Amino acid sequence: VQLQASGGGLVQAGGSLRLSCAASGRRFSSYYIGWFRQAPGKEREFVAAVSWGGGTTSYADSVKGRFTVSRDNAKNTAYLQMNSLKPEDTAVYYCAGKLMAVDEYDYWGPGTQVTVSS
């Protein structure tokens, strides 16, 4: 599967953005989708994940209550709705896929830059 994140941009603190992760290739619904981010000078970190049918989600503590992950398998797309953005959310955001929940993420797409100004 090929994954492509989009929807990043520049937003003021308190604002919102919705990122999309478009998939092509193999059956999208077979993949557990995760969102990660990497800020300058920092390690890549987990943000959120959504199970194959969308029924199970998980979040990093730092985004819980502000971000919502979802997917539309009919559109081969996953989403990350980001509300109440903070300057510390500034990073390159990536989506990734894996077949089994216990696996490492094997499929990565290019990221999209999110910049939150104070």
Side-chain angles (χ1 to χ4, degrees):
V1 68
Q2 290 79 45
L3 302 172
Q4 174 72 59
S6 63
L10 173 64
V11 63
Q12 289 189 330
S16 298
L17 281 174
R18 187 176 81 157
L19 305 184
S20 298
C21 175
S24 61
R26 295 182 65 181
R27 187 177 172 186
F28 178 64
S29 59
S30 298
Y31 294 87
Y32 204 96
I33 298 296
W35 287 93
F36 295 78
R37 66 187 181 187
Q38 186 166 21
K42 294 188 177 181
E43 296 286 320
R44 185 171 62 195
E45 64 175 356
F46 169 79
V47 175
V50 59
S51 62
W52 307 269
T56 301
T57 57
S58 59
Y59 298 91
D61 287 344
S62 59
V63 307
K64 207 170 287 185
R66 300 188 298 122
F67 290 12
T68 303
V69 62
S70 62
R71 67 191 296 161
D72 184 339
N73 287 338
K75 296 183 178 179
N76 289 343
T77 304
Y79 304 97
L80 184 68
Q81 177 67 45
M82 306 186 296
N83 298 330
S84 301
L85 282 161
K86 304 175 181 180
E88 51 264 43
D89 294 318
T90 295
V92 178
Y93 284 71
Y94 301 87
C95 60
K98 58 182 178 179
L99 289 172
M100 303 294 290
V102 297
D103 289 347
E104 296 293 321
Y105 285 90
D106 293 322
Y107 304 91
W108 293 82
T112 185
Q113 176 72 47
V114 171
T115 303
V116 184
S117 63
S118 56

